[in-house]
C-alpha cells in the first residue's frame, strides 16, 4: 500500500509528490499523458511562481525549459473600453512540456514513483485507505492511505467522486510565423467583449506569435478569433505568413466568491481541481502552493484523517484570499468581470 497516490503530474501534483517523498512517504504519482506532458498555456511564470520553484524544488528553473524571449517583463491589460494598464514584474517564458517534465523528474529524484500513460478513473474510500482504479495498458487498482487529485479541470476523477459538473471556459490559441508591432517581452490580455466571451491574449514563444481567445460556447471560437486577428491587424500591424499549430483546452470558470473544494474524506483536491486559479488563467503559482499545502496537511496529520482536510483548508487561507483579491482587482478594472469585484 502507498502512503499517498497523487493524480496529475502538473505543477500541483509534482509539488505534492516531491514534498511527501522527500519526507519519507511512499508516493505514487500517475499522469494520464505520456511524459513530457503538454498543456495549452501561456507558459509565463510570474515572479511568485519563480520564488515557489526555488522554495519547493531547491533551485531555479533550468535553461532547457525556457523559450525566447527568456525574460518576461510583465503584463499589459486592455480593459473593456480600450484603456491600457501596465504591470511591470519579473517573469520567465517557458514551454510547459519541458517545465512540467523537469518538475516530475525532481519528484522522482526525491523518491516518488512516477507512472505516465496511466489514468485514474475511480477512487473509493474503504476502511482506512482509498482504492484507486487505474488504467494503463489494462485496468488495475492500487491502494493508498490518501489520494491527492491534481488532474485539473480536464480530469474526470473529481466528477466521479463528487458528482458535480464544473463550469468550463474553452481556450483556443494558435502559433504563427509573422510580425507585429508589440514588445515580445510582455504578455498582453484583452478584455473587450467584442473580442472574446472571457479574454483574449497575445505573447511570443521562440519567435512564434501566439494568439488566443476564450469562450463559453465552442461554436463561437471562429467568430471571436477572427475578430481578434482583425483587431491586431488594425491596431498593431499584425501580418501572419503561416500558422504553425492550433490547440484547444479547458479551464475552470471561476465565479464570485472563488469557491474552493478541498476534497472528500481521504481524497484531497489541489490546483485547478480544487478551484485555485488566478485571473487570465494563471494557475501555476496557485497549483504549486495548493499542492504543497495538501501534501503538508497529509504529512502533519497522517494518522488523524479527520483533521487533514481542516488543516489543508487553514493552510490555504492566504492563497484563497490572494486569489479573491486578484479577481476583485480585475473586476474593478473591466466591466467584463464586474461580477468578481
Amino acid at each position: 500500500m502507498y502512503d499517498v497516490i497523487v493524480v496529475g503530474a502538473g505543477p500541483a501534483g509534482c509539488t505534492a509528490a516531491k514534498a511527501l517523498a522527500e519526507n519519507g512517504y511512499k508516493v505514487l504519482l500517475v499522469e494520464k499523458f505520456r511524459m513530457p506532458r503538454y498543456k495549452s498555456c501561456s507558459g509565463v511564470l510570474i515572479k511568485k511562481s519563480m520564488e515557489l520553484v526555488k522554495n519547493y524544488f531547491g533551485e531555479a528553473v533550468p535553461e532547457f525549459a525556457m523559450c525566447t524571449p527568456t525574460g518576461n517583463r510583465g503584463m499589459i491589460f486592455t480593459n473593456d473600453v480600450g484603456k491600457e494598464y501596465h504591470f511591470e514584474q519579473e517573469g520567465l517564458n517557458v514551454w510547459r512540456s519541458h517545465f512540467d517534465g523537469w518538475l516530475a523528474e525532481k519528484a522522482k529524484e526525491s523518491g516518488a514513483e512516477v507512472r505516465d500513460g496511466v489514468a485514474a478513473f475511480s477512487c473509493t474510500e474503504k476502511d482506512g485507505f482509498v482504492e484507486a482504479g487505474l488504467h494503463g495498458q489494462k485496468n488495475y487498482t492500487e491502494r493508498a492511505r490518501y489520494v491527492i487529485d491534481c488532474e485539473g479541470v480536464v480530469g474526470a476523477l473529481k466528477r466521479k467522486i463528487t458528482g458535480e459538473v464544473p463550469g468550463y471556459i474553452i481556450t483556443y490559441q494558435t502559433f504563427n510565423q509573422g510580425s507585429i508591432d508589440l514588445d515580445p517581452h510582455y504578455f498582453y490580455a484583452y478584455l473587450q467583449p467584442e473580442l472574446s466571451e472571457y479574454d483574449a491574449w497575445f505573447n511570443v514563444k521562440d519567435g512564434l506569435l501566439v494568439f488566443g481567445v476564450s469562450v463559453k460556447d465552442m461554436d463561437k471560437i471562429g467568430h471571436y478569433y477572427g475578430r481578434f486577428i482583425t483587431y491586431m491587424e488594425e491596431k498593431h500591424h499584425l501580418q501572419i505568413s503561416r500558422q504553425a499549430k492550433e490547440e484547444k483546452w479547458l479551464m475552470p470558470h471561476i465565479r464570485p466568491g472563488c469557491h474552493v473544494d478541498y476534497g472528500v474524506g481521504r481524497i484531497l483536491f489541489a490546483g485547478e481541481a480544487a478551484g485555485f486559479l488566478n485571473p487570465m488563467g494563471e494557475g501555476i503559482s496557485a497549483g504549486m502552493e495548493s499542492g504543497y499545502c495538501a501534501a503538508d496537511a497529509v504529512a502533519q496529520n497522517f494518522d488523524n484523517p479527520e483533521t487533514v482536510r481542516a488543516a489543508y483548508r487553514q493552510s490555504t487561507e492566504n492563497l484563497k484570499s490572494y486569489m479573491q483579491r486578484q479577481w476583485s482587482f480585475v473586476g474593478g478594472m473591466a466591466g467584463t468581470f464586474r461580477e468578481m469585484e
Side-chain angles (χ1 to χ4, degrees), residues 28-80:
L28 172 62
L29 174 62
V30 298
E31 167 56 48
K32 66 181 177 181
F33 295 113
R34 291 292 181 183
M35 302 294 287
R37 73 191 285 278
Y38 179 75
K39 177 179 180 179
S40 180
C41 175
S42 69
V44 174
L45 303 187
I46 62 174
K47 185 177 181 180
K48 182 178 180 181
S49 297
M50 296 163 60
E51 293 171 348
L52 291 174
V53 168
K54 290 183 179 179
N55 289 340
Y56 297 153
F57 291 84
E59 56 187 279
V61 178
E63 289 187 7
F64 72 79
M66 302 177 192
C67 54
T68 57
T70 300
N72 178 267
R73 297 174 184 167
M75 301 181 68
I76 298 177
F77 287 80
T78 301
N79 74 358
D80 54 324

Side-chain angles (χ1 to χ4, degrees), residues 194-210:
E194 65 270 21
L195 302 181
S196 76
E197 289 187 301
Y198 203 69
D199 70 328
W201 61 90
F202 165 73
N203 66 318
V204 178
K205 304 185 83 64
D206 282 346
L208 294 174
L209 310 182
V210 184

Side-chain angles (χ1 to χ4, degrees), residues 33-284:
F33 295 113
R34 291 292 181 183
M35 302 294 287
R37 73 191 285 278
Y38 179 75
K39 177 179 180 179
S40 180
C41 175
S42 69
V44 174
L45 303 187
I46 62 174
K47 185 177 181 180
K48 182 178 180 181
S49 297
M50 296 163 60
E51 293 171 348
L52 291 174
V53 168
K54 290 183 179 179
N55 289 340
Y56 297 153
F57 291 84
E59 56 187 279
V61 178
E63 289 187 7
F64 72 79
M66 302 177 192
C67 54
T68 57
T70 300
N72 178 267
R73 297 174 184 167
M75 301 181 68
I76 298 177
F77 287 80
T78 301
N79 74 358
D80 54 324
V81 294
K83 181 179 179 179
E84 285 191 357
Y85 295 81
H86 292 241
F87 301 96
E88 302 288 332
Q89 185 184 87
E90 177 187 5
L92 278 180
N93 199 6
V94 302
W95 287 112
R96 281 295 300 271
S97 54
H98 298 338
F99 177 67
D100 288 11
W102 175 70
L103 295 180
E105 188 59 34
K106 299 300 288 185
K108 185 176 180 180
E109 290 175 5
S110 295
E113 179 184 343
V114 180
R115 295 183 198 167
D116 63 350
V118 175
F121 61 84
S122 68
C123 272
T124 306
E125 187 166 345
K126 305 281 188 175
D127 184 16
F129 66 93
V130 180
E131 185 174 83
L134 305 178
H135 176 77
Q137 294 182 338
K138 61 180 181 179
N139 290 351
Y140 62 101
T141 61
E142 294 285 8
R143 297 188 301 168
R145 294 286 299 278
Y146 297 92
V147 168
I148 303 178
D149 179 12
C150 306
E151 279 191 301
V153 73
V154 298
L157 188 59
K158 182 185 174 183
R159 293 199 299 274
K160 291 184 177 180
I161 294 170
T162 65
E164 297 177 3
V165 179
Y168 297 125
I169 294 296
I170 303 157
T171 67
Y172 172 78
Q173 66 178 11
T174 64
F175 294 74
N176 309 270
Q177 294 177 346
S179 61
I180 193 170
D181 293 342
L182 284 172
D183 189 335
H185 295 88
Y186 290 87
F187 179 86
Y188 299 82
Y190 301 87
L191 308 183
Q192 300 98 310
E194 65 270 21
L195 302 181
S196 76
E197 289 187 301
Y198 203 69
D199 70 328
W201 61 90
F202 165 73
N203 66 318
V204 178
K205 304 185 83 64
D206 282 346
L208 294 174
L209 310 182
V210 184
F211 299 96
V213 296
S214 51
V215 298
K216 301 171 185 176
D217 182 352
M218 186 176 294
D219 293 336
K220 295 181 179 179
I221 287 176
H223 167 75
Y224 284 108
Y225 179 77
R227 297 190 71 168
F228 183 43
I229 294 301
T230 299
Y231 172 86
M232 299 300 272
E233 290 172 341
E234 296 174 352
K235 189 80 172 177
H236 301 293
H237 304 102
L238 166 65
Q239 292 186 355
I240 294 177
S241 58
R242 186 179 75 89
Q243 184 181 110
K245 69 173 181 175
E246 62 178 0
E247 57 193 25
K248 298 184 181 74
W249 202 259
L250 299 175
M251 65 179 181
H253 187 187
I254 305 300
R255 309 300 298 169
C258 301
H259 172 72
V260 173
D261 190 346
Y262 297 92
V264 179
R266 291 176 178 265
I267 304 166
L268 302 182
F269 304 132
E272 290 182 17
F276 287 111
L277 184 68
N278 296 316
M280 309 306 105
E282 195 287 302
I284 294 176

